[in-house]
Amino acid sequence: MKKGLLIILSGPSGVGKGTLRKHIIKDRSLNLVYSISMTTRAPRNREVDGVDYYFVSKEEFQRNIDRDNFLEHAEFVGNRYGTPKSYVEDLRNQGKNVFLEIEIKGATQVMNKVKDDGVVSIFLVPPSLEALEARIRKRKTESDEVIKERLAKGKSEMNQSSNYQYVVVNDRVKRASNEIIKIIKERIKQNEEK
Ligand code: 5GP
């Protein structure tokens, strides 16, 4: 059986990675499995443990680092986030295409670590900085201070796109999702023809 792809969707904070991911995952023909991350962040309103994230204590997160359980991990605005390593590998070995939606430092770690040609790296950008700011403010899930921090971070992260195989502009959810779906379909085809 062919090893599945490892699809990395990254981009500045607030660009809308999560929204696109939810659309893309619904396309059954892509054979995607979303890699659920571990985080020390508290759950937001409707988030469910084991669905959106594995919500863990700082101690438990550290234990997972010590045991080398993460493919990558990073701190983001005061919280830690990590991708469980064995889960990703097992699923890829079962032929599933694994989908990571992660911030930029973590994405860089994965791209440096996983060198096989099944890696598909996609950088999502907003149509403009104003659009990014509007999105972050609209979310209303964080305090003013956290919003400001996320915004500053998002702006400084915009110039990272050259490390990625694909850059997609998130102008409209449907259009951008379709562009990413098309990229994934092409790469699935190439992977099968190998
Ligand atoms: P949020 O707190 O808004 O859910 O996530 C903050 C940022 O962390 C987002 O950019 C999200 O994509 C990213 N993120 C989520 N899970 C992981 C992970 O496992 N590793 C890394 N490096 N970033 C993650």
Side-chain angles (χ1 to χ4, degrees):
M1 187 192 292
K2 285 270 159 59
K3 188 167 175 168
L5 301 173
L6 179 59
I7 299 149
I8 307 167
L9 180 65
S10 194
S13 169
V15 70
K17 299 189 287 293
T19 310
L20 286 198
R21 181 247 302 169
K22 283 177 192 147
H23 269 75
I24 295 160
I25 290 280
K26 281 190 200 142
D27 188 330
R28 293 294 176 109
S29 72
L30 303 176
N31 191 23
L32 292 178
V33 185
Y34 174 54
S35 162
I36 302 166
S37 299
M38 205 175 271
T39 183
T40 60
R41 168 167 81 57
R44 291 190 194 122
N45 307 343
R46 277 171 297 181
E47 285 180 333
V48 177
D49 187 40
V51 176
D52 298 286
Y53 281 105
Y54 296 107
F55 296 100
V56 299
S57 65
K58 290 182 179 142
E59 292 73 24
E60 178 149 9
F61 197 96
Q62 187 58 49
R63 266 200 296 279
N64 278 280
I65 295 177
D66 296 342
R67 291 179 188 151
D68 196 23
N69 286 347
F70 288 123
L71 176 60
E72 61 73 34
H73 63 89
E75 184 170 324
F76 183 88
V77 194
N79 294 301
R80 302 181 94 174
Y81 300 80
T83 303
K85 186 160 59 180
S86 59
Y87 183 76
V88 171
E89 263 312 287
D90 292 350
L91 287 167
R92 286 191 75 195
N93 287 332
Q94 289 165 28
K96 305 258 192 232
N97 301 316
V98 180
F99 194 97
L100 306 184
E101 179 232 304
I102 59 179
E103 56 70 64
I104 294 170
K105 280 183 293 195
T108 308
Q109 290 172 42
V110 179
M111 293 188 283
N112 288 336
K113 218 184 257 181
V114 188
K115 290 292 187 190
D116 63 76
D117 59 7
V119 175
V120 181
S121 58
I122 305 168
F123 194 78
L124 192 65
V125 293
S128 66
L129 279 179
E130 292 73 30
L132 184 69
E133 175 155 3
R135 269 199 68 95
I136 291 180
R137 293 201 181 282
K138 209 171 79 188
R139 200 150 63 178
K140 285 200 179 119
T141 45
E142 281 107 4
S143 66
D144 247 19
E145 199 176 324
V146 172
I147 289 176
K148 275 195 199 125
E149 240 180 294
R150 284 190 176 234
L151 198 55
K153 200 170 175 64
K155 285 182 180 168
S156 73
E157 286 171 338
M158 288 281 286
N159 56 359
Q160 301 273 327
S161 61
S162 59
N163 299 331
Y164 293 74
Q165 296 162 347
Y166 306 90
V167 178
V168 173
V169 180
N170 190 13
D171 45 4
R172 281 180 297 120
V173 172
K174 187 130 183 71
R175 196 212 60 79
S177 312
N178 284 340
E179 187 177 342
I180 295 174
I181 287 170
K182 194 161 158 245
I183 292 169
I184 297 172
K185 282 188 174 159
E186 271 167 23
R187 294 294 297 270
I188 289 174
K189 193 157 163 269
Q190 283 173 19
N191 196 37
E192 278 163 0
E193 285 165 356
K194 253 191 342 212

